[in-house]
Amino acid sequence: MSIVERARADICALRPYVSARQDPARGILLNANESPWQPPGLNQDLNRYPEPQPAGLLKTLARLYQCDTRQLFVGRGSDEAIDLLCRAFCAAGKDAIVTAPPTFGMYAVAAGIQGARVIEVSLKGPDFALDSEAVGAAIGADDGVKLVFLCSPNNPSGGLADSQSVERVLEAASGQALVIVDEAYAEFSDQPSWIGRLSDFDNLAVLRTLSKAYGLAGLRCGALVARSEVIDLIRRIMPPYPVPATTVQTALEVLNGPAASELASRVRQIVATREWLRDRLSKLAIVKRVYPSAANFLLVAFYDAAHVDAALRESGMIVRQFSNLLPDHLRITIGERQDMMALANVLDTLA
Ligand SMILES: *Cc1c(COP(=O)(O)O)cnc(C)c1O
């Protein structure tokens, strides 16, 4: 049985919108009510609707992520893929997703918007490890579970999901739920991507984004990588033109341009700064714990996080607080070395 058979029956039966750009014929284009002219003074082809799934960008991303173009959905950030997955698989008021908090908040929000239930199986232990047994039990106990969101490296804790634990979840979910490994921060870790395991598990999907390591958060470009039948399903319900032409052009410039090699050195720089800050903060008396991180941020437990947060704000530095989810913790994004030194200096004055 393909995992797609677990998608909403009404979505499988839905006749997708056929947009004008899906007609491959080229000539004088009079089929999309577009303007025949560019806006005055603009030298970019923006009067036409873009390709629904831009072939050039798919090709470049497929090379980057080492997959087939048919295994890719590209959208406005990976957030869009999270939303589409919830809509495709979860019947409102009936089906459920499983998340492993503390984790990225958008999984629960997207499920909530769709009217799906959210089953939370907390990460366990001092390092926030994936509790594969408890996740497996949650899946087994509830046939409505359609999606399992795992985040590795995890936001906000920074840790990696142990690969055997992920495999156990994939096996427990086999034939029932799609397991999505969100690799938004994969470039900062040295773990192999789960994309390489797509041929082993038909219920595996991976999220990637250009928003973090590639420095393109403002571009809004992210991808879902999965078996082609899952991608076909998502493409049935995507908005007619999810990726703006300007986004396609800039993404191709960055990914295929000469700057691509510089990117690896920037990632190394962020990682080196992260480890420097981790070491520096670990020695402070106001710090309870600095979590190991494979991402571009550090989760830090303080004895008095509110006080630290206030002092940092006073100095013009804004970090992330998680008042309900993780009281006493702050998540610090790794920025330029000099800014991290300034941050450490502020914390010194509190020690
Ligand atoms: C930032 C982030 C995303 C969102 O990425 P976009 O591609 O910008 O939508 C997805 N997942 C996690 C875990 C993130 O931290």
Side-chain angles (χ1 to χ4, degrees):
M1 187 192 101
S2 160
I3 199 66
V4 166
E5 289 173 42
R6 293 281 295 163
R8 283 167 51 194
D10 47 349
I11 292 292
C12 296
L14 185 87
R15 229 162 30 127
Y17 176 70
V18 180
S19 63
R21 272 311 91 82
Q22 278 163 271
D23 186 338
R26 287 293 169 263
I28 298 167
L29 295 177
L30 305 173
N31 63 348
N33 300 346
E34 300 150 329
S35 168
W37 306 297
Q38 295 297 326
L42 201 76
N43 51 6
Q44 225 182 344
D45 284 339
L46 290 179
N47 59 322
R48 299 296 177 188
Y49 281 106
E51 291 172 83
Q53 287 287 273
L57 184 55
L58 286 179
K59 220 171 119 190
T60 294
L61 289 175
R63 193 166 351 110
L64 185 66
Y65 298 140
Q66 298 185 23
C67 63
D68 194 277
T69 53
R70 288 167 312 169
Q71 296 177 310
L72 266 175
F73 162 76
V74 57
R76 284 170 299 211
S78 43
D79 283 333
E80 178 156 53
I82 294 167
D83 178 57
L84 292 173
L85 283 165
C86 287
R87 294 207 252 168
F89 280 88
C90 296
K94 181 167 163 272
D95 293 332
I97 70 162
V98 170
T99 66
T103 193
F104 189 46
M106 276 310 294
Y107 314 136
V109 171
I113 292 169
Q114 173 58 23
R117 292 174 291 129
V118 180
I119 299 170
E120 297 188 329
V121 180
S122 293
L123 298 171
K124 66 174 179 186
D127 278 337
F128 292 124
L130 179 62
D131 189 344
S132 57
E133 229 169 276
V135 172
I139 298 166
D142 189 334
D143 186 58
V145 173
K146 299 290 184 75
L147 302 173
V148 179
F149 284 97
L150 307 177
C151 189
S152 181
N154 185 45
N155 177 9
S157 59
L160 289 160
D162 160 71
S163 58
Q164 279 176 351
S165 303
V166 176
E167 279 177 24
R168 279 197 289 272
V169 170
L170 280 159
E171 279 153 18
S174 178
Q176 184 185 332
L178 185 69
V179 178
I180 301 112
V181 183
D182 187 341
E183 295 185 336
Y185 301 95
E187 290 85 356
F188 299 101
S189 96
D190 45 21
Q191 285 279 107
S193 169
W194 282 91
I195 293 170
R197 303 297 303 278
L198 283 177
S199 53
D200 298 332
F201 302 97
D202 86 331
N203 61 333
L204 170 65
V206 178
L207 291 167
R208 300 295 294 254
T209 181
L210 300 185
S211 296
K212 307 286 156 65
Y214 284 89
L216 292 171
L219 196 66
R220 308 311 299 132
C221 187
L224 174 72
V225 196
R227 294 267 184 112
S228 60
E229 57 266 29
V230 174
I231 297 303
D232 289 346
L233 178 77
I234 295 303
R235 288 182 180 177
R236 292 169 74 87
I237 61 165
M238 71 182 182
Y241 309 102
V243 199
T246 49
T247 295
V248 177
Q249 190 185 332
T250 307
L252 289 176
E253 267 169 40
V254 172
L255 298 175
N256 296 329
S261 59
E262 208 180 302
L263 214 91
S265 94
R266 288 190 173 187
V267 165
R268 280 196 299 276
Q269 188 181 328
I270 293 284
V271 168
T273 301
R274 178 189 79 204
E275 292 311 304
W276 172 85
L277 186 67
R278 179 168 142 74
D279 186 57
R280 184 86 155 64
L281 298 187
S282 305
K283 293 173 180 144
L284 296 179
I286 57 166
V287 170
K288 231 189 278 182
R289 183 135 197 276
V290 187
Y291 293 79
S293 171
N296 66 336
F297 54 82
L298 284 174
L299 183 69
V300 186
F302 291 93
Y303 288 99
D304 188 349
H307 181 57
V308 173
D309 188 45
L312 286 172
R313 276 175 194 270
E314 185 80 7
S315 309
M317 286 176 238
I318 317 301
V319 298
R320 183 77 168 211
Q321 236 195 342
F322 302 93
S323 358
N324 298 327
L325 186 71
L326 284 171
D328 298 333
H329 290 67
L330 297 175
R331 189 193 66 197
I332 302 167
T333 303
I334 304 303
E336 296 205 62
R337 177 64 77 106
Q338 69 207 50
D339 293 332
M340 297 299 102
M341 287 164 87
L343 180 139
N345 289 340
V346 172
L347 297 189
D348 279 343
T349 66
L350 305 175

